[in-house]
Amino acid sequence: MGAFRIRHCCSLVPILVLICTAVLALLHEMLRTPQLDWAIPETVWNLPCAANTKEGRVPDDETGTACVRPGLEFRADQTFKMVQFADLHFGEDARKDEATQRAMRTVLRREAPVDLVVLSGDMVSGFAWSRSLTPRWFETRWRHVTAPMERAGVPYASVLGNHDAEADAAALRIGRLAHESSRLCLTPFPGLFGRRSNRAHYYLEVCSSVQGESSEEVSSENISNRSVDDDGSTQNRECLNRGVGARIWMMDSGNRGCQGASPKASWGCVESGDVQVIRALTTPGQDNNLTQEKKKEPAPNSHWEELPEEIRGKGPLHNAPSLAFVHIPPPEFLDVWDHTLANGSKGEHVCCPRANSGLVSAFREGGVSAIYSGHDHNNDYIGMLPGEPAMRLAYGRKSGYGSYGPGMGALVGARVILLREGQNPAFSDTWIRLESGRVERQTRRVPMSNKLIPQVECAS
């Protein structure tokens, strides 16, 4: 009997060790994060573009829920300032997270007023998640990520990076969480929150300023380009009688694997099926009505059937100056460095997808004239893609203390983009605001010290 009791007690030892480890880890976490900001639950922005009226309600998901959140608009001086925080990588270490928040607060304070913050992926280091010890890990880190914007009263939007969905929240759960917390009216891709999609693509629209396009100045042509519904309202009710001054595309490039390539061989991309939807929405003059013949024999990878009826039946989105954010840079980022006078730093290989899904060409043909990326922490260069029409490709500056970079002795910071109403976003003023408060204008080219020859293919 005594031997049985000893064996029974010994069998409990591993369980007790696990319990003690969990308790110690929890205490350790609590003691190491006393200075981290947490998201403030109620913040009201002075962005009155979306009125709380029937005309101001915008369906913000597939359920048709009315969106009465504040909208985005150009200021009275016809400017709209954006801050891109790239690769924050929260969740590795509490002290690093605190330093990252400090840098974010400095940027927002020195650039005030800021109209929109874009979190361009890898907001957290999902690989740092411990399944057994930290429940609701992503949601906790998300509150840390968004706290500086909440405290400053600045609206924010995000795209997913390859590390964001590696923890305890899947991509669509993160998309929902980001959508609910940012309190912005976004327009999701068809199926974004449904069963047929696992990518969080959407776009935001910035209303024209009062001076730029008041309700009295809106022409009948502009109204028709906004797809008038049967009840007389326009497709973009948020900017009713104001006009869309700019459109911001937010694209999910996934994790690894592109166009059927092995995840071990390629980084992720915006797949060609979603690129076809972009073409359907942005190609000027394209007839989105399907003939019976096309319905019987759809094109390969066609997403026509996923397009909402109001888009399929009334044509593409009206033209507006447009830019895009995507975490993993498309392959064309190689061309910008190798074949143009790009400025900024190339401190590592461009880690882009081995296959080209056509995202850049689709955007270029559809009037999107600037694409901003992240992912490669030691790169922050900016340049114009060869060819016409004009198109800018640019990295953000590594903004967080987690993971590695920025390289070559650089300070963390953020890219600032100043849109001017009516200006082509390919030529928007942009600069790097550093954590020190100093501005870096990127007037010179800084290549990798050990790799001066052109990079001929994407690094895997």
Side-chain angles (χ1 to χ4, degrees):
M1 180 64 71
F4 172 77
R5 287 178 178 174
I6 293 174
R7 286 196 302 270
H8 184 66
C9 291
C10 290
S11 66
L12 295 176
V13 170
I15 299 175
L16 293 174
V17 169
L18 286 174
I19 293 174
C20 291
T21 302
V23 172
L24 289 173
L26 181 61
L27 290 173
H28 183 260
E29 181 81 3
M30 293 172 63
L31 291 173
R32 287 178 63 85
T33 59
Q35 302 302 317
L36 282 171
D37 278 346
W38 292 74
I40 302 168
E42 294 296 333
T43 303
V44 179
W45 303 307
N46 184 27
L47 297 169
C49 189
N52 188 7
T53 64
K54 177 183 177 182
E55 290 78 15
R57 294 177 182 269
V58 185
D60 61 2
D61 58 29
E62 292 185 334
T63 64
T65 303
C67 175
V68 293
R69 306 171 182 187
L72 300 171
E73 65 178 351
F74 279 90
R75 292 182 174 272
D77 63 357
Q78 298 184 298
T79 63
F80 185 85
K81 183 185 286 186
M82 306 170 64
V83 168
Q84 177 192 3
F85 286 130
D87 298 280
L88 293 164
H89 279 276
F90 275 83
E92 296 179 23
D93 179 87
R95 292 187 178 90
K96 290 182 178 180
D97 292 351
E98 183 182 349
T100 297
Q101 285 188 336
R102 218 169 25 242
M104 294 169 72
R105 291 195 299 267
T106 297
V107 169
L108 294 175
R109 183 173 64 251
R110 297 299 294 269
E111 289 294 340
V114 175
D115 298 299
L116 177 68
V117 164
V118 173
L119 305 167
S120 62
D122 281 2
M123 299 164 280
V124 304
S125 294
F127 52 79
W129 169 55
S130 174
R131 183 182 300 272
S132 60
L133 302 179
T134 49
R136 303 178 71 87
W137 185 90
F138 182 88
E139 292 189 25
T140 300
R141 271 70 202 170
W142 177 253
R143 294 177 68 188
H144 293 163
V145 169
T146 58
M149 285 77 75
E150 293 281 1
R151 184 174 294 278
V154 176
Y156 52 91
S158 61
V159 296
L160 292 179
N162 50 294
H163 290 302
D164 290 319
E166 290 179 339
D168 58 348
L172 292 185
R173 169 61 188 144
I174 295 173
R176 279 191 175 278
L177 179 65
H179 175 38
E180 292 165 1
S181 62
S182 71
R183 295 188 285 280
L184 284 177
C185 292
L186 61 82
T187 303
F189 259 37
L192 170 58
F193 298 128
R195 294 170 295 177
R196 300 186 65 184
S197 173
N198 62 355
R199 295 292 181 88
H201 308 304
Y202 61 99
Y203 61 84
L204 297 162
E205 293 188 324
V206 184
C207 301
S208 296
S209 67
V210 174
Q211 285 110 325
E213 188 174 4
S214 67
S215 58
E216 291 80 14
E217 295 170 335
V218 177
S219 67
S220 59
E221 179 183 1
N222 288 338
I223 287 289
S224 65
N225 283 341
R226 272 181 266 139
S227 301
V228 180
D229 293 334
D230 293 336
D231 62 357
S233 59
T234 62
Q235 181 180 325
N236 179 25
R237 297 179 182 88
E238 184 184 355
C239 296
L240 182 67
N241 294 330
R242 298 284 297 281
V244 177
R247 185 173 294 115
I248 306 167
W249 293 84
M250 309 290 284
M251 309 305 296
D252 179 359
S253 53
N255 191 332
R256 285 184 173 270
C258 174
Q259 300 293 99
S262 166
K264 294 183 179 180
S266 174
W267 289 103
C269 67
V270 178
E271 298 280 352
S272 59
D274 289 335
V275 171
Q276 184 164 346
V277 178
I278 292 172
R279 291 186 186 277
L281 293 172
T282 62
T283 302
Q286 178 172 316
D287 183 5
N288 288 353
N289 289 293
L290 293 179
T291 64
Q292 291 300 318
E293 182 179 357
K294 288 181 180 178
K295 287 181 180 179
K296 292 177 182 178
E297 297 181 7
N301 298 316
S302 174
H303 280 213
W304 278 118
E305 294 303 326
E306 296 185 45
L307 290 174
E309 177 61 33
E310 64 267 22
I311 294 178
R312 287 194 291 119
K314 296 178 180 177
L317 295 169
H318 73 287
N319 292 333
S322 300
L323 63 158
F325 290 86
V326 60
H327 178 69
I328 298 175
E332 286 82 356
F333 271 65
L334 289 175
D335 298 330
V336 166
W337 180 264
D338 290 340
H339 304 300
T340 72
L341 297 176
N343 285 333
S345 299
K346 184 177 188 288
E348 64 178 305
H349 289 299
V350 177
C351 294
C352 46
R354 292 293 181 93
N356 194 326
S357 64
L359 175 68
V360 173
S361 61
F363 270 149
R364 195 175 208 172
E365 293 167 9
V368 178
S369 55
I371 299 178
Y372 295 90
S373 187
H375 188 55
D376 303 327
H377 302 179
N378 293 336
N379 296 342
D380 62 17
Y381 63 81
I382 178 172
M384 302 296 288
L385 185 67
E388 294 293 336
M391 186 171 214
R392 168 189 283 171
L393 301 184
Y395 280 101
R397 168 63 66 90
K398 173 72 164 60
S399 303
Y401 275 79
S403 190
Y404 72 94
M408 309 168 103
L411 297 176
V412 302
R415 179 170 293 284
V416 182
I417 305 159
L418 185 65
L419 301 180
R420 296 186 184 278
E421 193 166 0
Q423 182 187 40
N424 187 334
F427 306 106
S428 297
D429 195 10
T430 182
W431 59 90
I432 303 295
R433 175 69 71 174
L434 302 174
E435 62 174 331
S436 64
R438 186 170 60 87
V439 169
E440 187 176 298
R441 284 286 177 178
Q442 295 186 292
T443 57
R444 63 192 183 99
R445 179 181 176 95
V446 185
M448 294 171 63
S449 59
N450 63 341
K451 189 71 174 178
L452 300 179
I453 62 174
Q455 180 186 341
V456 297
E457 64 179 2
C458 294
S460 59

